[in-house]
Amino acid sequence: MPLTWLILFLFALAALGFIAGRVRAVNSAGGDVRELHSLPNYYGWNVALTALVPALAVLVVWLFVQPLMIERSVSGMIPEELIPEGSQRSLVMSDVRRVAHGLDMAVRQGALSEDDASDIRAGFTDLRGRLADVGVALGSDVRPEVLSAAQRYRQLNATGTLWQSIIVAALALGGLTLAYTRTHKGFRARNVVERAILALLILAASIAVLTTLGIVLSMLFETRNFFGLHSWSDFFFGTTWAPNFRGDSELSILPLLWGTLYISFIALAVAVPVGLFAAIYLSEYASAALRSFAKPLLEILAGIPTIVYGMFALLTVGPMLVNFFGRGPDGVLGVDWMSGATSVLTAGVVMGIMLIPFVSSLSDDIINSVPQSLRDGSYGLGATQSETVRQVVLPAALPGIVGAVLLAASRAIGETMIVVMGAGAIAKFSLNPLESMTTITTRIVSQLTGDTDFASPETLVAFALGLTLFVLTLGLNILALYIVRKYREQYE
Amino acid sequence: MKDMSQIANAVETGTNKISARDVNVFYGDSQAIKGVDVEISNNTVTAFIGPSGCGKSTFLRCLNRMNDTIDICRVTGTIRLDGEDIYDKRVDPVQLRAKVGMVFQKPNPFPKSIYDNVAYGPRIHGLARSKSDLDEVVERALRRGAIWNEVKDRLYAPGTGLSGGQQQRLCIARAVATEPEVLLMDEPCSALDPIATAQVEELIDELRENFAVVIVTHSMQQAARVSQNTAFFHLGELVEYGETGQIFTNPQDPRTESYITGRIG
């Protein structure tokens, strides 16, 4: 609770500072707002922000650092021999935290007095029973070392929280006073506030960048762990994907990569012609009325969740393909090439349908950005519309279209749900599109769902797969953006 | 300069090429051109002058039916090219545009090589029988465009890499390459510097040996320098049309005089 109060206090102080700063600024100009360097509200904001921002920043840092410091100091109190064989210090520490938490609860519910909580001895009282009464279940009896560590933990926490409130409140008050005294008609409050806005924008941008960095780093570390347990040459150059839990798994990415690329290739073979032709029709031939109606309709496809596409693959497209290519004499073609609904072709076709709006929407933008003057030039030479599209508009738009296709490819490679449901689970090298095959993404799903042990290569391989996938799509995206950007520069 | 242009202009002008009768153009509900009658002669440079928004570009674009590409545009009246109504149903606007070439305000080379830019029209219309034939057509067009000497060593470099003036002469060469009978130019020098403008103007004067040239311009000096006939447009009407020297020295309509002396515009 004190944290909530502290934050409320900070905001109340900021609101007060806003009003006070505004009033002081207006007064310093003798009531004439035109005398001020900035509008009165800027002075208010300046005071409010100077009070609030440093205090909040310190509070956030404190909230992160305090548990770490306390953890470190308390965990030193646990003797080495207390840690059971095969267990880890962090497990004992979680016991400590639970006991401390239980004591807190007990005090709050009146089962223990504050003095009792700090003086209690594990040997004399049935601590486990009393904590169970207040709703904290412990796995075993509390050992004296753990109890004293827990008490120390509580004590440090209390002190820390007290100091935290004092320091943060003092900072807020100090900031308020400083900004308030500086408020004068000549003070450039507007510039200060705009710097604060700039800082906010930078913060937002860096959160995005740092998150990416964090994800990549965590994948990198786990991947390194994986390569500590499994040979990298098998991962990159082996030919079999056969995870088992006997310890001799063959975990090679190549069959998965083959499945991924094969399915993506089929998806692009469907999406690129259809999407591109749709874009050409919509941007060059369709009337404005049709266009305003058809384009949003096409883009609805992009809003369908991929799980729905997955159902579509499994329940509609798959059986339809089986009806064509399977079932022997009962089938449409009378052949028996396809046994189950899940296949490379099923997943590829459905993924292609998913990518159509992606390709068409990007290509449409790119075709529209080809200057009208080029079309006029071509018409002026007596070219027909289709000659103009084929020989002037498309060549001019080609780099951008290639970029769009590469972006679509990177989506196809990373797509999960459709392949989980439509592609099957067999990892193999095969050219037959009617067989089921599996992809990197589906294997990540299956390695990480269910009971997993994060110390085994069978689980950790997911990180190596994820990182490879990431590098692959990142490379494609960079290439695509490079091409698109290069093209954009031509017409500026 | 006036004297020089007078000398340059003293060339025989030819027979009647295009005749427009009672042409009206509507954009949706607003009328952009009101009852214009014009005769355009062969081997002549005809200049359309007038203040911005007076309809001179719109009228120019009627002459090769470029306005067809604008949905809301509607044209009435008759425009005859060699006695044939170009708005007749039997006329294919695409064929018409091959006969009535156009050069635009901003140089608009295609993102192709210089050679392919010029070869574009001849290829579409099948004007060359072989590669060497096409080479000849391209060279002749580039020579007529007065740009051959500057680009003959880099025919396969992109056309967009040329300077603004060179690009515009390339566009003229491209238009000339399809062997049109009439060449329409919509403010061809407005995006060019004075030196490039001078080169293009010189070129225009040479072009009239083979074509009827119609040029829209904002610059009255340019009209005086390059044209033999001048038409003055104002608010969608053709106010005055006549021999260039006469329009500039002895205008009949008070509005023409006001524009030429800078009182309206």
Side-chain angles (χ1 to χ4, degrees):
Chain A
M1 273 310 118
L3 187 61
T4 319
W5 286 116
L6 184 62
I7 290 171
L8 279 179
F9 170 74
L10 289 183
F11 277 97
L13 205 65
L16 193 76
F18 180 85
I19 297 166
R22 198 176 186 286
V23 169
R24 183 177 161 95
V26 173
N27 285 345
S28 77
D32 183 1
V33 175
R34 281 173 300 178
E35 292 280 301
L36 292 173
H37 170 270
S38 319
L39 291 172
N41 275 354
Y42 281 114
Y43 292 94
W45 280 117
N46 175 38
V47 176
L49 288 174
T50 322
L52 196 60
V53 172
L56 270 184
V58 167
L59 182 61
V60 168
V61 172
W62 194 297
L63 287 177
F64 273 107
V65 172
Q66 178 176 312
L68 291 179
M69 302 275 285
I70 292 178
E71 195 97 336
R72 181 168 302 168
S73 121
V74 172
S75 82
M77 292 173 65
I78 312 263
E80 205 61 53
E81 63 269 17
L82 205 68
I83 299 167
E85 192 76 23
S87 183
Q88 280 166 339
R89 183 169 287 267
S90 63
L91 291 178
V92 181
M93 275 309 293
S94 78
D95 266 358
V96 171
R97 274 197 301 274
R98 210 146 66 228
V99 172
H101 177 64
L103 290 174
D104 282 342
M105 296 272 288
V107 170
R108 207 174 302 142
Q109 295 185 7
L112 281 175
S113 74
E114 184 63 47
D115 289 342
D116 284 348
S118 23
D119 295 342
I120 206 166
R121 292 276 146 68
F124 298 120
T125 19
D126 175 21
L127 187 61
R128 188 179 172 194
R130 293 179 74 170
L131 288 184
D133 289 342
V134 297
V136 177
L138 294 178
S140 61
D141 277 331
V142 180
R143 270 178 272 209
E145 290 86 352
V146 171
L147 180 61
S148 61
Q151 280 162 342
R152 172 96 182 126
Y153 183 88
R154 288 192 66 222
Q155 186 203 343
L156 283 174
N157 241 338
T159 331
T161 310
L162 180 69
W163 277 109
Q164 164 197 310
S165 305
I166 292 174
I167 288 178
V168 168
L171 252 175
L173 281 170
L176 183 106
T177 323
L178 176 72
Y180 184 74
T181 49
R182 277 206 303 185
T183 299
H184 187 263
K185 66 177 177 182
F187 180 66
R188 300 180 181 182
R190 181 155 66 146
N191 306 22
V192 176
V193 172
E194 289 194 343
R195 267 208 301 280
I197 293 172
L198 178 67
L200 180 75
L201 300 181
I202 290 175
L203 185 73
S206 44
I207 284 176
V209 173
L210 290 179
T211 313
T212 315
L213 206 67
I215 291 175
V216 172
L217 283 181
S218 76
M219 294 224 293
L220 264 179
F221 288 127
E222 295 294 348
T223 305
R224 213 187 51 179
N225 289 344
F226 168 70
F227 284 126
L229 295 168
H230 195 87
S231 90
W232 62 271
S233 57
D234 180 50
F235 180 73
F236 284 114
F237 303 114
T239 54
T240 317
W241 172 266
N244 62 49
F245 289 94
R246 293 188 301 275
D248 56 350
S249 303
E250 291 179 90
L251 303 169
S252 163
I253 194 174
L254 287 181
L256 309 183
L257 193 63
W258 168 247
T260 303
L261 294 179
Y262 197 7
I263 292 174
S264 304
F265 172 76
I266 291 181
L268 289 178
V270 171
V272 171
V274 177
L276 190 58
F277 291 168
I280 291 172
Y281 174 71
L282 284 180
S283 61
E284 295 290 317
Y285 291 92
S287 67
L290 179 67
R291 187 181 145 83
S292 67
F293 162 79
K295 208 181 171 207
L297 214 60
L298 191 66
E299 278 164 9
I300 285 178
L301 270 183
I304 297 177
T306 53
I307 185 80
V308 176
Y309 281 111
M311 284 160 53
F312 179 57
L314 193 63
L315 302 177
T316 311
V317 176
M320 205 175 75
L321 289 175
V322 171
N323 205 17
F324 259 91
F325 297 109
R327 293 177 46 201
D330 296 337
V332 172
L333 297 181
V335 291
D336 197 7
W337 294 339
M338 192 172 171
S339 49
T342 56
S343 74
V344 170
L345 193 61
T346 313
V349 166
V350 174
M351 201 193 282
I353 294 170
M354 177 194 83
L355 291 176
I356 287 172
F358 197 71
V359 173
S360 81
S361 172
L362 279 173
S363 310
D364 186 61
D365 290 347
I366 290 156
I367 289 172
N368 275 330
S369 74
V370 172
Q372 182 62 31
S373 68
L374 288 185
R375 294 187 186 89
D376 282 348
S378 176
Y379 296 145
L381 290 170
T384 62
Q385 199 161 10
S386 95
E387 282 165 344
T388 304
V389 169
R390 263 185 296 130
Q391 303 194 25
V392 176
V393 176
L394 282 187
L398 193 63
I401 291 171
V402 171
V405 170
L406 287 180
L407 283 178
S410 84
R411 274 203 60 175
I413 289 173
E415 171 51 40
T416 310
M417 228 46 241
I418 293 174
V419 286
V420 165
M421 297 178 77
I426 305 159
K428 64 181 161 200
F429 292 102
S430 166
L431 272 175
N432 184 355
L434 301 173
E435 280 181 54
S436 42
M437 244 180 249
T438 194
T439 67
I440 297 179
T441 49
T442 37
R443 286 312 92 192
I444 293 178
V445 171
S446 69
Q447 295 313 104
L448 288 183
T449 44
D451 277 342
T452 52
D453 168 11
F454 274 85
S456 76
E458 286 76 21
T459 306
L460 286 174
V461 71
F463 290 96
L465 292 175
L467 192 65
T468 316
L469 202 60
F470 172 78
V471 170
L472 212 62
T473 50
L474 183 74
L476 274 179
N477 279 349
I478 290 176
L479 186 66
L481 287 178
Y482 169 77
I483 290 174
V484 169
R485 195 167 305 152
K486 201 172 159 198
Y487 159 76
R488 288 265 153 79
E489 281 162 7
Q490 265 185 22
Y491 296 113
E492 274 169 15
Chain B
M1 188 181 284
K2 188 92 195 242
D3 290 345
M4 274 178 62
S5 65
Q6 292 287 334
I7 294 164
N9 288 348
V11 180
E12 279 299 301
T13 55
T15 52
N16 196 8
K17 187 73 185 171
I18 296 178
S19 64
R21 284 280 168 277
D22 192 27
V23 174
N24 294 288
V25 179
F26 302 88
Y27 286 117
D29 291 333
S30 67
Q31 188 167 7
I33 297 285
K34 296 165 188 162
V36 168
D37 296 315
V38 156
E39 306 281 336
I40 288 161
S41 311
N42 242 334
N43 305 105
T44 309
V45 179
T46 306
F48 291 175
I49 60 170
S52 292
C54 67
K56 53 194 188 302
S57 288
T58 301
F59 184 71
L60 187 78
R61 291 166 71 94
C62 290
L63 299 180
N64 67 345
R65 294 185 62 174
M66 277 300 276
N67 286 332
D68 287 16
T69 59
I70 302 167
D71 289 336
I72 55 163
C73 184
R74 200 159 50 81
V75 181
T76 66
T78 54
I79 299 175
R80 290 176 189 281
L81 174 68
D82 290 331
E84 195 186 357
D85 184 0
I86 63 170
Y87 279 88
D88 193 282
K89 279 200 179 60
R90 282 169 303 180
V91 171
D92 179 3
V94 171
Q95 289 300 321
L96 172 72
R97 288 183 205 132
K99 270 196 274 183
V100 184
M102 187 154 192
V103 176
F104 295 84
Q105 189 168 353
K106 252 181 76 183
N108 56 351
F110 302 136
K112 300 170 182 283
S113 71
I114 292 168
Y115 183 94
D116 286 336
N117 259 287
V118 179
Y120 183 78
R123 275 184 182 141
I124 289 179
H125 301 295
L127 298 183
R129 249 170 265 111
S130 63
K131 175 79 175 85
S132 58
D133 210 9
L134 188 62
D135 288 347
E136 249 172 62
V137 169
V138 170
E139 180 178 339
R140 196 163 62 235
L142 285 170
R143 279 189 194 283
R144 273 177 172 176
I147 193 179
W148 171 253
N149 287 331
E150 288 154 73
V151 300
K152 63 177 183 234
D153 300 324
R154 47 172 175 156
L155 285 176
Y156 297 96
T160 44
L162 297 171
S163 74
Q166 288 174 325
Q167 286 188 11
Q168 192 62 303
R169 277 180 286 150
L170 174 65
C171 291
I172 293 173
R174 189 176 69 186
V176 166
T178 51
E179 303 284 344
E181 295 162 21
V182 181
L183 199 55
L184 308 178
M185 297 179 147
D186 190 355
E187 299 182 37
C189 300
S190 63
L192 304 183
D193 66 32
I195 293 171
T197 301
Q199 288 167 332
V200 171
E201 283 179 2
E202 200 176 319
L203 173 59
I204 291 171
D205 201 62
E206 287 164 18
L207 288 175
R208 80 184 175 97
E209 281 177 28
N210 302 295
F211 313 102
V213 179
V214 184
I215 175 171
V216 164
T217 176
H218 260 123
S219 152
M220 284 174 286
Q221 288 81 356
Q222 185 172 62
R225 283 195 298 267
V226 300
S227 72
Q228 287 77 50
N229 291 328
T230 297
F232 171 62
F233 285 79
H234 187 55
L235 301 176
E237 286 173 49
L238 178 63
V239 173
E240 191 165 351
Y241 178 50
E243 204 247 312
T244 301
Q246 193 210 323
I247 294 267
F248 279 92
T249 53
N250 186 19
Q252 304 296 305
D253 193 289
R255 285 173 293 178
T256 315
E257 194 188 353
S258 303
Y259 182 68
I260 285 167
T261 53
R263 279 201 294 274
I264 58 171

